[in-house]
Amino acid sequence: MIVRFDIEVRVAYIRCPECGEQVSSKAYNCPHCGCPMPLFGGGKAKAKKHAVLAGVGCLGLIAVIAAAYLLVTRVL
Ligand SMILES: [Zn+2]
């Protein structure tokens, strides 16, 4: 039996300024051309704030996934 996790993971996509491809806002570099993303490579103070926010968001996401996992395993 295959248990599918249909959890919507919201990842913001930004356009690479170099090649114009869509890149995850969590990426440090563009996977297409290697261009550093402005979110992290730009203003240092801003980047730090964004990194902290991303860390908090990741913890929240892990909590949501863990809660969903517990719910699913309890139902089965
Ligand atoms: Zn690129």
Side-chain angles (χ1 to χ4, degrees):
M1 185 181 174
I2 298 165
V3 180
R4 281 193 61 200
F5 289 94
D6 288 323
I7 300 166
E8 192 186 344
V9 180
R10 283 166 193 259
V11 179
Y13 284 96
I14 51 175
R15 234 171 239 291
C16 172
E18 283 295 318
C19 66
E21 293 285 339
Q22 285 202 321
V23 183
S24 165
S25 61
K26 288 174 181 174
Y28 289 86
N29 293 83
C30 171
H32 305 283
C33 69
C35 171
M37 288 293 102
L39 186 65
F40 296 99
K44 278 174 187 171
K46 257 188 183 178
K48 200 171 183 184
K49 199 174 180 186
H50 274 294
V52 170
L53 283 173
V56 171
C58 279
L59 282 176
L61 190 67
I62 289 166
V64 168
I65 290 169
Y69 178 77
L70 285 173
L71 271 173
V72 169
T73 51
R74 214 173 262 189
V75 167
L76 292 175

